[in-house]
Amino acid sequence: MDNKLEEKRQPGKPRILIVGGVAGGASCAARARRMSEKAEIIIFERGPYVSFANCGLPYYVGDVITDEKDLLIATPELFKKRFNIEVRLRSEVRSIDRDKREIEVRNGETGKVYREKYDALVLATGAAPVRPPIPGIDLPGIFSLRTIPDSRQIREQIADRKAKRAVVVGGGFIGLETTENLVRRGVSVTIVEMLPQVMPPVDPEMAVPIQEHLTANGVSLCLGDGVAGFEQDPKGNTLSVVTKSGGRYVCDMVLLAIGVRPEAALAREAGLDIGQLGGIRVDDQMHTSDQRIWAVGDAVEVRNFVNGDWSLFPLAGVANRQGRIAADVILDRKATFRGVQGTIVCKVFNVTVAATGMSEKSLDRRKLNGREEHYEKIYLHPGHHVGYYPGAKPITMKLIFATEDGKILGAQAVGEEGVEKRIDVIAMAIQKGATVFDLEEAELCYAPQFGAAKDPVNIAGMIAANALRGDAPVAHWVDVSSPQAYVLDVREPQEFRLGHIKGAYNIPLHSLRDRVSEMPCDREILVYCAVGQRSYYASRALRLNGFSAKNISGGITNYPAESGGPTSKKPKDTLPPR
Ligand code: FAD
């Protein structure tokens, strides 16, 4: 395709029409202006605002952001004055005539329907909250959170209708962020989540600390149960959320946060290719199947950067990057979208959870579909900075990597401080195709307040590299059930007395060398301690003495989450210390 739109329709004045004026649309428009002073750029936005901060909406609900105006990143006036971009609010694009290169627009205020010609059309229509046809879903008091008016309604429900009890349906990041903010407003919250865990992008054991933290903050969890219906009491005062297992949760309001679906109807009706996941299909230059039409943001399906699968990743950074790339390509710059790896972060009360790349469960799902990647995982629990400097907080980290070459496949972390910094570093490493050996060598900034001379990212790389090199192979709690395993606890006796794995032998690290003759030569020795550090030293000593020893990754700290599943149920013969 000839992209030289500058010289096309009207020489020197290409017409770029953009549908949707938030993350993807607004960034595309602004970038297009920086690439061309001549282009005519018009944004059509169905809603009453352009370029608003939807990521800030939960915090407006919670009164952290108190002035609604602070959510407006830009106004039509600013777009006009600063960028010479026209914004038409309350203007819904209803259809696309690809042959004539025209769109049909309806002005929501006047009802007028008109057509506009384009040289390039960008669809940045986003994604709409999922509202399944569950009985009672349209009852008053059931909200979604996507727009400023949505957040205003929720605020009114709290302030004017004195809502005190809420059920949040869905434990993803919008559900969790809104939960925290409802609690901040004095509302007691129950989360109903169909999966057996909150925060679906991370693996179940990594969600356990979040679940415990939610519970500690007074949030009730109903996991592994879906909503069967909503009911209203005869006087219309309260709602009940009825679950498939027969649970009934009475409340004053419901937030539906069960995911979003690409707004692809406009594209579908125009005959553009739609992927199997329901998103608009684009190439790596954000072209749709029509070379004059681009699509960006939550509305599109993208290639997962790590495994090449088509995926949906409704994330603000992705939408912004894609908008920028579409503008570049439209205006004849070479630009290529690299794909998405799913780098996310979410704060719930005092805990931050972040992840990038593949989770173990997504790798296992691929395995079920016959596309097996051979991977290994390691866990660690470093402080977010050195222990001698006051205020160090532990981070629980998980690193997943290919056993063949050590390529990093994914990472997850949970903790109070420094979580997102580590995941950001690993996200960049994944994007550059780095291996665990690169993490070992990564030069990261260090002073006592910020990290350690061996940053948690370095340590993760070292543990993984030690495993791959065969210096310190890792085992996991699932391996302990093998009758062949000799389980060795190298903690101090007082730690052992507080709780240990049934059948484990206790030989503290400091006396291991003197008692090495007690070790079996014909069995694999699985060594554990609190977090995996002393057991690493022990496993090295044993291996150098000719024993077959493995280090149970993450130590007994991991045991409840790994063996107890979604909640940290503790087997009755085991009392791991907290
Ligand atoms: P949107 O921002 O949804 O914008 C699409 C716009 O298109 C809408 O305003 C819509 O009115 C308009 N539109 C649709 N159809 C038409 C039509 N036919 N004609 C005219 N206009 C139309 N992401 C993160 O990465 N981090 C976060 O912390 C985060 N927090 C979030 C919190 C909330 C409450 C929500 C709702 C989202 C959050 N997201 C977050 C997701 C992020 O906001 C989206 O990924 C991003 O906004 C997608 O941008 P977009 O331009 O594709 O779509």
Side-chain angles (χ1 to χ4, degrees), residues 35-232:
M35 292 293 106
S36 167
E37 270 298 304
K38 295 177 186 164
E40 185 183 355
I41 305 169
I42 309 174
I43 296 175
F44 297 87
E45 169 53 55
R46 182 177 58 191
Y49 303 101
V50 66
S51 193
F52 67 92
N54 33 17
C55 306
L57 296 178
Y59 305 94
Y60 183 48
V61 168
D63 240 357
V64 177
I65 297 167
T66 50
D67 189 346
E68 199 176 284
K69 287 200 230 56
D70 291 340
L71 295 167
L72 304 177
I73 298 164
T75 58
E77 296 70 37
L78 184 136
F79 267 107
K80 188 71 203 165
K81 276 196 195 141
R82 188 173 288 176
F83 301 117
N84 188 26
I85 291 170
E86 184 182 343
V87 177
R88 297 190 194 165
L89 296 179
R90 297 185 178 86
S91 300
E92 181 170 21
V93 176
R94 303 205 312 183
S95 63
I96 305 166
D97 184 335
R98 287 167 54 193
D99 293 334
K100 291 189 179 152
R101 283 196 213 134
E102 284 180 358
I103 56 170
E104 185 183 274
V105 187
R106 182 179 181 277
N107 183 319
E109 275 172 0
T110 62
K112 188 182 152 200
V113 176
Y114 60 98
R115 293 169 82 92
E116 290 285 1
K117 281 203 169 295
Y118 62 82
D119 295 311
L121 178 66
V122 181
L123 303 179
T125 45
V130 171
R131 284 182 83 88
I134 299 173
I137 193 142
D138 293 322
L139 284 169
I142 301 180
F143 304 98
S144 299
L145 185 57
R146 182 187 182 189
T147 62
I148 293 179
D150 291 341
S151 57
R152 207 181 287 146
Q153 281 183 2
I154 298 172
R155 283 171 64 94
E156 281 165 12
Q157 190 77 6
I158 299 167
D160 303 344
R161 305 216 175 92
K162 312 283 177 235
K164 286 282 165 222
R165 298 159 298 176
V167 171
V168 172
V169 185
F173 73 85
I174 294 180
L176 295 186
E177 287 178 354
T178 312
T179 292
E180 176 189 335
N181 282 288
L182 290 171
V183 171
R184 188 175 282 129
R185 297 291 302 271
V187 177
S188 71
V189 179
T190 300
I191 297 176
V192 176
E193 165 60 59
M194 200 161 66
L195 294 175
Q197 65 167 96
V198 299
M199 204 59 192
V202 301
D203 288 318
E205 76 281 12
M206 298 299 285
V208 169
I210 312 164
Q211 288 155 196
E212 291 180 342
H213 192 64
L214 284 162
T215 310
N217 279 278
V219 176
S220 304
L221 296 180
C222 165
L223 302 178
D225 201 359
V227 174
F230 302 96
E231 292 171 8
Q232 194 175 38

Side-chain angles (χ1 to χ4, degrees), residues 244-482:
K244 288 182 179 153
S245 74
R248 177 175 283 271
Y249 301 90
V250 179
C251 60
D252 308 309
M253 60 180 284
V254 172
L255 177 79
L256 276 183
I258 48 179
V260 293
R261 185 171 291 140
E263 281 220 31
L266 195 57
R268 185 181 286 111
E269 280 156 24
L272 299 176
D273 285 357
I274 304 293
Q276 286 184 347
L277 303 170
I280 306 170
R281 270 289 162 87
V282 287
D283 64 14
D284 60 7
Q285 297 194 307
M286 311 316 298
H287 295 115
T288 64
S289 50
D290 180 328
Q291 295 288 291
R292 288 282 173 167
I293 305 178
W294 284 255
V296 301
D298 289 2
V300 307
E301 267 179 34
V302 281
R303 287 277 187 199
N304 182 313
F305 177 82
V306 187
N307 64 16
D309 286 353
W310 286 107
S311 322
L312 294 171
F313 281 108
L315 294 169
V318 175
N320 274 278
R321 292 204 310 279
Q322 292 176 338
R324 194 179 152 92
I325 285 172
D328 280 359
V329 174
I330 290 168
L331 291 158
D332 207 26
R333 279 250 170 145
K334 279 210 170 67
T336 307
F337 185 65
R338 294 181 179 181
V340 178
Q341 64 198 67
T343 306
I344 52 139
V345 64
C346 174
K347 183 175 163 290
V348 199
F349 300 103
N350 291 333
V351 161
T352 302
V353 52
T356 185
M358 304 283 289
S359 62
E360 193 180 353
K361 62 185 178 183
S362 58
L363 285 162
D364 290 346
R365 259 197 310 271
R366 281 171 62 82
K367 191 160 140 190
L368 285 177
N369 294 331
R371 293 178 300 168
E372 185 165 5
E373 264 117 343
H374 295 282
Y375 69 88
E376 181 54 278
K377 60 182 175 179
I378 56 106
Y379 298 91
L380 60 159
H381 303 274
H384 89 285
H385 62 50
V386 283
Y388 66 78
Y389 189 84
K393 302 275 190 232
I395 304 177
T396 295
M397 282 177 75
K398 175 176 184 176
L399 183 72
I400 307 167
F401 50 96
T403 42
E404 190 191 358
D405 54 6
K407 199 165 173 176
I408 309 157
L409 300 175
Q412 302 168 21
V414 190
E416 289 186 33
E417 300 280 348
V419 168
E420 69 292 353
K421 165 175 156 173
R422 274 67 198 206
I423 293 300
D424 274 345
V425 170
I426 299 175
M428 194 61 216
I430 290 177
Q431 201 172 103
K432 299 309 288 178
T435 65
V436 298
F437 308 108
D438 295 312
L439 294 189
E440 272 188 301
E441 294 297 325
E443 186 172 315
L444 304 171
C445 51
Y446 162 61
Q449 305 91 319
F450 303 107
K454 282 183 200 156
D455 189 85
V457 170
N458 298 126
I459 298 173
M462 288 168 189
I463 298 171
N466 281 339
L468 284 183
R469 290 191 189 107
D471 289 338
V474 289
H476 302 288
W477 284 111
V478 67
D479 303 320
V480 166
S481 55
S482 158

Side-chain angles (χ1 to χ4, degrees), residues 492 506-516 518:
E492 294 303 308
N506 181 219
I507 303 180
L509 174 63
H510 62 82
S511 48
L512 186 62
R513 286 184 184 85
D514 300 331
R515 296 174 59 183
V516 85
E518 295 173 36

